[in-house]
Amino acid sequence: MGSLLYSSSQTADIYPVSELFLRHRLQVVEELWESVLRQECGQNMVDLLRQLRDLCSPEGQATNDQASSAVKLIEQLNINEAIRAARAFALYFQLINIIEQEYEQRQQLGRYEAETEPTDAERASNVNYSSNQREDDAPVSKGIAAELLAKNYLEKAQVKPKGTFAALFPYLFKLNVPPQQIQRLIAHLDVRLVFTAHPTEIVRHTIRDKQRQVVQLLQKLDTLENHAGGTGGGYAWEAADVREQLLEEIRLWWRTDELHQFKPTVLDEVDYALHYFQEVLFDGIPQLYKRFKHTLSNTFPWLEPPSKNFCSFGSWVGSDRDGNPSVTPEITWQTACYQRKMVLGRYIQSVKNLIELLSVSMHWSDVLPDLLESLELDQSQLSEVYDALALRYRQEPYRLKLAYVLKRLENTRDRNLALYNRETPKNQDSPLYRSGDDFLAELRMIQRNLTETGLSCRDLENLICQVEIFGFNLTQLDIRQESSRHADALDEILQYLQILPQPYNELSEEQKVAWLTGELQTRRPLIPAELPFSEKTNDVIETFRVVRSLQQEFGLNICQTYIISMCRDVSDVLEVLLLAKEARLFDPAIAVGTIQVVPLFETVEDLQRSRSVMRKLFELPLYRALLAGGYEQAKAEETDENSSSLAPPLTPNLQEVMLGYSDSNKDSGFLSSNWEIHKAQKSLQQIAEGYDINLRIFHGRGGSVGRGGGPAYEAILAQPGHSINGRIKITEQGEVLASKYSLLDLALYHMETITTAVIQASLLRTGFDDIEPWNEIMEELAARSRQHYRALIYEQPDFVDFFHQVTPIEEISQLQISSRPARRPSGKKDLSSLRAIPWVFSWTQTRFLLPSWYGVGTALQEFLNAEPEEHLKLMRYFYVKWPFFKMVISKAEMTLAKVDMQMAHHYVQELSKPEDKLRFAKVFDQIASEFYLTRDLVLKITDHNQLLDGDPVLQRSVQLRNGTIVPLGFIQVSLLKRLRQSMNTNATSGVIHSRYSKGELLRGALLTINGIAAGMRNTG
């Protein structure tokens, strides 16, 4: 049977011969999809979808003629037919995403082998060693013999794909990177991936479960079909049976509601995030460590591998309260308990499995004295376990020991449940584990006994690795709050206490810093135990108090980071430090704290101001001592003496700074945002080095290009200078979680590429970021781009009305996708209050994708106008040589390939009010003109005939979706038009004239939003 959505000629164009497996699998799924629709909706629906799809051009772009025909066809549909059509296309896109993910899982490594890499000469000429190289870091060897040895080694080595450990370490060997330098980097390697609290993921948890079931059945089908092909069809009936199971699963999926029935609570979001740990990451992370250790030893067998938790996870889910009133101190407490519940449940199951596995008898194996001694202690503390199992396990010491371990874990779990419910734990004297370290110590003792007697246990090794990585906390919780909330809280507190002669908020920045610095020198309490303040102020105070409680109960590692969004001044940081002091998270007498204050610089102005803010902070003796680990530690460092004090609770001399991609992009456009963030990283790193402080940049990236998204490997390699230096922290949001963490091999590959890029970017650098004339050109381009972008967004008088009418922004705000409101709490419907997620989401739905490219074309054209030929050559040279410039152009190219200006024009024509059509047409013409200019110039710079010619895999993926999104867009416009007409009519007359209810029309519109998001693989 031919593909319903793609003719044979189209398919031949999309898939090269090397992707025949993908083509075959798509045909299988499309046949199943068509069968489900025929069974559920009838042949007429299948015919309708064919008719709608045939209206699209082979290139997957809408045309005026097609729009006219589609509109006539869709307007004839009743609401049920329109909803079914929308659901059918949405289901198709979800299935396509599954197939592509499974294919990527199979082909991820193989497809990199075919990529052309630069020659050795090019690499050597473009690479400098990191500036932290010491004189004693001698190369591996010197002279002709070494060159011959390296050449022979590389010729024998199997060609490995880029972005993997197997490619990285031989590459470093070939470049003669000093092993001591590699070892130092590995020793403090720190990759942190943070799941965020404002997900743009709109797919229900229930649907995710069904998708995973489809994946498992497809993998089973692959195995059976391969066997059948090799044995003459002996497994054909089993393959047919699996196809039938797939058909049943997809039918169940079709009858499952795609939309959330209620707005998710914060704890629902916690559950969504933990889903990826439960299904993939908990078992996958130990494999990442083994992969690193194995590949490192193949090339540098004398080097020590990193700590097992070199790649760790953080979370904002349940702790990010910026603009989300639903995140309360109690919710944060419950989140920590919820995470511990999940990880304890996994450990309990693992220990039960070990009890079955470790059946070693003392008749046939020796046991070390420390294990026997621990059993005697356990007997005295857990006599009920001894009474129940001592006879059964009298000659099986490992089973008996693990039974005691299991009981302690169960006691810990029961206590955690009581704490979650804020109840007094029963049997408080029962033996349990206060921390993951206590549990880990017992597991290591068992492992040591096995090793000393010549045994090993892989399951035990995996469990130890999991405990080292996740402990009892699973992830580290980051607190985030907006800067003005702290200032307002202090203002109210100080007015209540009548400490200052004028309100705190009326002080100048210099006055604030002077007062805060003085107040931070004293241990005198400022805030009373009983809180007589407003609800908002009390919430701020209680947040710091709950952090203190969390650290006392769960250990310091559960929550050490407090992020200040919209951070602009030194006082913003000191305010948080003062509030932390009041919660006993900071002791001013010795300058030791258990929480790190992290400024988040978001707008362009704040990014530019970040240099002076951090410099002034580092100049403050109190703050500098806090970073060092206290006054005693700071004094010892000044005199080069060893401090006799205990190790500081925070990593010494480490400052984390977060940079926001979303608001800077919304504020100044794509090119300007990327350049300002690039510059900020360079300057912040230079400032930190000047004060002998280690810097960790926290990248607040979203899923879409308009919010800093895109391929992480290339983005990390494009970072400037030494801004990484073995440390990076990145947010993982929305559709990124589903696309990169739903399948084990994809998750492993994603984490491996990030780690590889961090190592490569830290050890090797191109030096192009330091070429001042290039920086001056980029400064000029960024300024021009920003000016053109702001002229449209903030100066075009009709733009705000245009945005609200021609995009589904109001309908998106009614999607139950997040516990956080779409707007900041100003109450205004202006662009400044609108969050970046729905801003980007709206432009993606309408196929404009404006935030990801607008202003780039004008900036480039104005630069080329001065010297057309010479400047074009220079831009092409930048694209080839400068990782930052290539990253920016590549991201823009990817987004431009998803733009459909004809479809965008259809939204403008159909959704504009009659009286606004003329003025909106001018806005559209301005946007379209910039699009075509940007597209043409990007093609010139990349020297591509079509967008994405340099990435055929991504090009195929975009082409695969573009065409089918077109009819879904037509359906969306039709439903939005009916919905708005119905609402306007009802609002003016009070009489319902539509034959469909508002609820039905809204539901249909939201389903199309769901479907287009799945097709674009982008929400916000």
Side-chain angles (χ1 to χ4, degrees):
M1 181 187 299
S3 169
L4 172 62
L5 300 183
Y6 294 94
S7 66
S8 59
S9 61
Q10 284 177 300
T11 308
D13 292 336
I14 292 176
Y15 311 114
V17 175
S18 60
E19 297 185 358
L20 289 179
F21 169 81
L22 176 61
R23 178 178 176 180
H24 167 66
R25 184 56 69 233
L26 286 169
Q27 288 175 337
V28 170
V29 167
E30 287 177 358
E31 289 171 6
L32 291 168
W33 175 74
E34 183 179 353
S35 297
V36 167
L37 293 180
R38 187 177 293 109
Q39 293 173 4
E40 295 291 320
C41 307
Q43 184 63 42
N44 289 340
M45 175 58 65
V46 176
D47 294 339
L48 171 65
L49 297 177
R50 286 182 182 275
Q51 196 172 356
L52 286 172
R53 179 59 184 87
D54 290 342
L55 292 174
C56 299
S57 67
E59 295 78 22
Q61 303 285 307
T63 67
N64 291 332
D65 293 340
Q66 293 154 0
S68 176
S69 302
V71 168
K72 291 178 182 178
L73 183 60
I74 291 170
E75 290 294 342
Q76 297 172 5
L77 301 179
N78 61 43
I79 187 65
N80 291 328
E81 291 171 331
I83 287 178
R84 286 187 174 189
R87 293 189 70 219
F89 284 126
L91 176 59
Y92 172 77
F93 287 130
Q94 296 282 11
L95 291 170
I96 291 299
N97 289 344
I98 288 174
I99 294 301
E100 278 205 319
Q101 282 185 326
E102 189 199 7
Y103 175 73
E104 287 170 10
Q105 186 163 250
R106 292 169 57 99
Q107 303 295 321
Q108 193 74 268
L109 300 181
R111 78 184 187 201
Y112 278 87
E113 296 179 10
E115 292 187 1
T116 303
E117 298 189 1
T119 64
D120 294 346
E122 288 175 329
R123 280 174 168 161
S125 65
N126 291 341
V127 170
N128 297 315
Y129 294 136
S130 173
S131 63
N132 64 359
Q133 179 176 347
R134 300 177 182 174
E135 293 181 0
D136 62 347
D137 286 341
V140 177
S141 52
K142 298 181 180 179
I144 298 176
E147 294 176 2
L148 291 173
L149 177 64
K151 181 179 180 182
N152 183 57
Y153 175 88
L154 290 163
E155 286 177 347
K156 290 182 178 180
Q158 183 180 357
V159 177
K160 302 296 181 184
K162 291 190 299 182
T164 63
F165 300 139
L168 173 67
F169 295 125
Y171 180 39
L172 297 178
F173 181 93
K174 180 169 70 171
L175 291 178
N176 236 16
V177 177
Q180 297 93 331
Q181 189 178 348
I182 300 173
Q183 185 67 79
R184 275 201 304 273
L185 181 74
I186 290 175
H188 70 255
L189 186 63
D190 183 9
V191 176
R192 301 196 182 190
L193 305 171
V194 181
F195 286 12
T196 61
H198 48 90
T200 58
E201 177 56 64
I202 64 176
V203 178
R204 287 182 64 198
H205 198 30
T206 302
I207 298 295
R208 284 281 169 229
D209 290 337
K210 296 197 175 301
Q211 290 172 347
R212 183 167 282 106
Q213 181 65 21
V214 169
V215 169
Q216 293 171 355
L217 289 171
L218 285 170
Q219 291 172 344
K220 187 176 181 180
L221 183 63
D222 293 341
T223 303
L224 291 171
E225 288 183 341
N226 289 337
H227 287 173
T231 59
Y235 294 86
W237 68 270
E238 291 183 288
D241 184 62
V242 172
R243 286 198 183 209
E244 190 63 32
Q245 292 180 53
L246 274 167
L247 188 64
E248 292 173 2
E249 192 66 36
I250 296 172
R251 286 191 71 186
L252 290 171
W253 183 349
W254 173 260
R255 295 197 187 189
T256 302
D257 205 335
E258 302 92 332
L259 300 178
H260 290 287
Q261 302 303 301
F262 53 87
K263 193 173 185 63
T265 66
V266 177
L267 291 179
D268 287 330
E269 292 179 338
V270 173
D271 185 59
Y272 299 157
L274 295 191
H275 176 77
Y276 296 101
F277 289 95
Q278 187 77 266
E279 298 295 333
V280 175
L281 293 172
F282 194 78
D283 293 324
I285 285 290
Q287 296 185 39
L288 181 69
Y289 171 76
K290 291 177 182 178
R291 189 178 292 185
F292 191 118
K293 181 180 179 182
H294 175 73
T295 51
L296 177 68
S297 65
N298 284 344
T299 308
F300 299 102
W302 58 90
L303 295 184
E304 291 293 325
S307 62
K308 292 184 175 65
N309 62 348
F310 72 89
C311 180
S312 60
F313 288 86
S315 177
W316 285 6
V317 191
S319 58
D320 175 20
R321 55 248 305 134
D322 178 19
N324 191 346
S326 300
V327 180
T328 63
E330 183 62 22
I331 287 292
T332 302
W333 173 267
Q334 290 181 321
T335 297
C337 294
Y338 201 90
Q339 290 188 169
R340 185 159 66 179
K341 172 190 173 185
M342 192 227 104
V343 79
L344 286 174
R346 294 300 300 265
Y347 292 155
I348 287 171
Q349 186 58 51
S350 295
V351 170
K352 288 180 178 178
N353 293 339
L354 286 173
I355 290 175
E356 295 297 318
L357 185 64
L358 292 178
S359 55
V360 178
S361 171
M362 292 180 66
H363 285 301
W364 311 110
S365 181
D366 294 330
V367 178
L368 299 184
D370 62 342
L371 178 58
L372 298 177
E373 290 171 4
S374 73
L375 288 173
E376 291 180 4
L377 180 62
D378 290 335
Q379 178 182 347
S380 64
Q381 295 178 344
L382 291 163
S383 57
E384 70 274 19
V385 175
Y386 179 82
D387 293 341
L389 298 174
L391 188 60
R392 179 186 299 180
Y393 295 150
R394 62 184 181 278
Q395 294 298 327
E396 297 175 334
Y398 293 107
R399 281 182 162 174
L400 184 58
K401 178 62 185 176
L402 286 167
Y404 288 126
V405 169
L406 177 63
K407 184 60 178 177
R408 283 192 171 91
L409 283 175
E410 291 172 342
N411 290 341
T412 307
R413 176 200 60 195
D414 295 342
R415 179 176 181 276
N416 182 69
L417 179 60
L419 292 174
Y420 177 88
N421 294 320
R422 290 295 192 178
E423 299 172 351
T424 302
K426 299 177 181 178
N427 303 322
Q428 295 201 52
D429 296 330
S430 300
L432 47 76
Y433 294 117
R434 290 291 176 180
S435 70
D437 290 339
D438 296 340
F439 176 45
L440 185 62
E442 299 223 271
L443 295 178
R444 283 176 172 162
M445 181 188 66
I446 296 172
Q447 184 186 46
R448 186 169 60 252
N449 272 260
L450 289 171
T451 302
E452 290 293 329
T453 57
L455 294 174
S456 63
C457 177
R458 182 164 299 181
D459 286 1
L460 177 60
E461 292 173 1
N462 283 339
L463 178 57
I464 289 174
C465 188
Q466 288 166 336
V467 179
E468 286 192 34
I469 294 167
F470 298 111
F472 279 178
N473 297 333
L474 189 67
T475 75
Q476 297 180 25
L477 293 175
D478 288 352
I479 304 293
R480 186 174 70 141
Q481 183 57 279
E482 202 263 330
S483 59
S484 65
R485 289 290 302 275
H486 310 123
D488 291 345
L490 281 176
D491 185 76
E492 183 179 348
I493 292 167
L494 296 176
Q495 288 197 54
Y496 175 81
L497 298 175
Q498 298 183 351
I499 289 179
L500 295 175
Q502 66 186 106
Y504 174 80
N505 280 339
E506 294 180 7
L507 298 177
S508 67
E509 173 63 13
E510 291 74 17
Q511 290 173 320
K512 287 181 179 178
V513 171
W515 183 83
L516 289 166
T517 304
E519 190 65 26
L520 279 166
Q521 305 289 335
T522 175
R523 279 180 168 169
R524 173 179 57 79
L526 183 70
I527 301 174
E530 298 293 329
L531 302 180
F533 308 114
S534 66
E535 185 178 345
K536 277 191 172 183
T537 296
N538 288 346
D539 180 76
V540 170
I541 297 169
E542 291 289 358
T543 295
F544 285 91
R545 291 180 177 180
V546 84
V547 171
R548 169 75 172 170
S549 299
L550 286 169
Q551 291 185 351
Q552 289 177 319
E553 169 60 31
F554 295 85
L556 298 181
N557 200 45
I558 183 63
C559 182
Q560 292 186 338
T561 301
Y562 195 106
I563 301 163
I564 312 168
S565 61
M566 291 298 171
C567 184
R568 294 184 172 91
D569 295 302
V570 172
S571 62
D572 292 330
V573 176
L574 297 182
E575 287 162 3
V576 170
L577 199 55
L578 178 58
L579 292 166
K581 186 203 83 167
E582 292 298 309
R584 292 181 294 163
L585 295 167
F586 170 67
D587 188 338
I590 57 177
V592 172
T594 59
I595 193 166
Q596 183 176 72
V597 184
V598 177
L600 165 52
F601 301 106
E602 300 183 75
T603 68
V604 167
E605 286 77 11
D606 293 342
L607 287 167
Q608 294 171 344
R609 196 159 40 224
S610 65
R611 306 133 167 92
S612 63
V613 171
M614 298 313 299
R615 184 179 284 110
K616 290 175 184 176
L617 277 171
F618 294 155
E619 286 290 336
L620 290 175
L622 179 96
Y623 191 80
R624 188 65 188 83
L626 170 65
L627 292 182
Y631 286 122
E632 183 180 345
Q633 194 72 26
K635 183 178 180 180
E637 290 177 2
E638 290 178 2
T639 58
D640 289 331
E641 296 178 358
N642 293 325
S643 173
S644 59
S645 65
L646 296 175
L650 301 175
T651 305
N653 292 314
L654 176 66
Q655 174 66 59
E656 184 174 305
V657 175
M658 185 171 183
L659 304 179
Y661 289 72
S662 304
D663 284 280
S664 60
N665 189 307
K666 179 167 165 279
D667 175 56
S668 67
F670 172 70
L671 186 58
S672 173
S673 169
N674 276 272
W675 179 239
E676 291 298 337
I677 290 172
H678 193 78
K679 287 194 304 178
Q681 289 183 76
K682 286 177 61 178
S683 59
L684 288 172
Q685 181 61 36
Q686 291 168 357
I687 292 169
E689 288 177 353
Y691 289 90
D692 199 25
I693 291 172
N694 298 311
L695 185 70
R696 176 167 60 217
I697 299 291
F698 186 0
H699 298 266
R701 288 160 46 101
S704 61
V705 170
R707 299 185 54 245
Y713 179 76
E714 288 79 6
I716 293 171
L717 292 182
Q719 302 307 307
H722 312 298
S723 62
I724 295 180
N725 199 24
R727 298 183 181 90
I728 200 167
K729 195 170 176 181
I730 307 172
T731 52
E732 298 280 49
Q733 300 182 13
E735 70 278 359
V736 170
L737 300 182
S739 64
K740 295 180 178 177
Y741 295 104
S742 290
L743 301 177
L744 175 60
D745 288 342
L746 280 181
L748 283 172
Y749 181 79
H750 173 60
M751 293 183 289
E752 183 174 358
T753 55
I754 289 178
T755 307
T756 300
V758 167
I759 296 172
Q760 188 170 332
S762 301
L763 292 173
L764 310 174
R765 52 175 299 198
T766 64
F768 293 132
D769 290 316
D770 300 327
I771 301 177
E772 196 55 37
W774 291 20
N775 290 332
E776 292 173 358
I777 291 171
M778 273 308 307
E779 188 72 28
E780 180 183 344
L781 291 172
R784 288 171 171 171
S785 174
R786 184 185 188 203
Q787 181 180 8
H788 193 66
Y789 174 86
R790 290 188 65 85
L792 173 70
I793 307 299
Y794 295 101
E795 298 171 18
Q796 161 61 256
D798 299 322
F799 181 79
V800 174
D801 292 340
F802 176 90
F803 172 66
H804 281 95
Q805 281 192 43
V806 307
T807 76
I809 177 60
E810 298 305 322
E811 290 76 17
I812 285 171
S813 66
Q814 298 183 62
L815 263 177
Q816 311 289 355
I817 63 174
S818 174
S819 66
R820 192 169 74 164
R823 294 182 182 274
R824 287 191 165 90
S826 68
K828 299 179 181 178
K829 286 194 174 183
D830 56 5
L831 296 185
S832 61
S833 66
L834 183 67
R835 291 192 176 277
I837 292 174
W839 164 257
V840 173
F841 198 170
S842 301
W843 292 114
T844 303
Q845 288 283 311
T846 55
R847 303 295 296 279
F848 278 102
L849 287 89
L850 181 142
S852 304
W853 55 265
Y854 194 86
V856 176
T858 293
L860 292 172
Q861 185 61 61
E862 290 178 358
F863 179 69
L864 293 177
N865 287 342
E867 295 284 347
E869 293 187 9
E870 290 302 316
H871 283 184
L872 179 58
K873 289 180 182 178
L874 186 60
M875 292 293 96
R876 286 176 171 174
Y877 189 75
F878 281 8
Y879 179 74
V880 172
K881 290 291 186 179
W882 195 2
F884 166 76
F885 190 80
K886 182 170 185 177
M887 178 268 296
V888 169
I889 295 298
S890 297
K891 281 186 176 183
E893 183 182 21
M894 177 180 69
T895 307
L896 291 167
K898 294 184 176 184
V899 173
D900 185 342
M901 203 52 66
Q902 294 296 330
M903 175 54 68
H905 186 247
H906 180 66
Y907 276 80
V908 177
Q909 284 185 314
E910 295 296 315
L911 297 181
S912 300
K913 295 178 181 177
E915 63 270 22
D916 295 325
K917 286 186 180 293
L918 185 60
R919 63 189 185 113
F920 285 0
K922 294 179 181 179
V923 178
F924 174 81
D925 289 342
Q926 186 176 342
I927 296 172
S929 175
E930 180 70 9
F931 166 74
Y932 293 117
L933 175 63
T934 306
R935 182 197 62 186
D936 293 345
L937 289 177
V938 165
L939 288 173
K940 281 185 180 180
I941 291 171
T942 59
D943 201 22
H944 293 161
N945 293 322
Q946 294 183 358
L947 294 171
L948 297 179
D949 275 353
D951 191 343
V953 175
L954 181 58
Q955 186 182 58
R956 178 261 302 154
S957 178
V958 171
Q959 289 177 358
L960 187 62
R961 291 169 169 76
N962 273 357
T964 312
I965 295 175
V966 169
L968 190 52
F970 288 140
I971 296 173
Q972 180 178 96
V973 169
S974 175
L975 291 172
L976 288 174
K977 191 175 178 181
R978 296 187 209 182
L979 174 63
R980 293 176 181 182
Q981 288 173 346
S982 173
M983 294 177 68
N984 291 336
T985 302
N986 297 343
T988 55
S989 67
V991 179
I992 299 176
H993 292 284
S994 172
R995 54 191 173 130
Y996 306 117
S997 69
K998 173 189 170 184
E1000 289 177 309
L1001 292 167
L1002 178 60
R1003 177 176 176 75
L1006 296 184
L1007 283 168
T1008 63
I1009 290 172
N1010 232 6
I1012 292 175
M1016 296 294 289
R1017 298 190 80 171
N1018 282 111
T1019 47

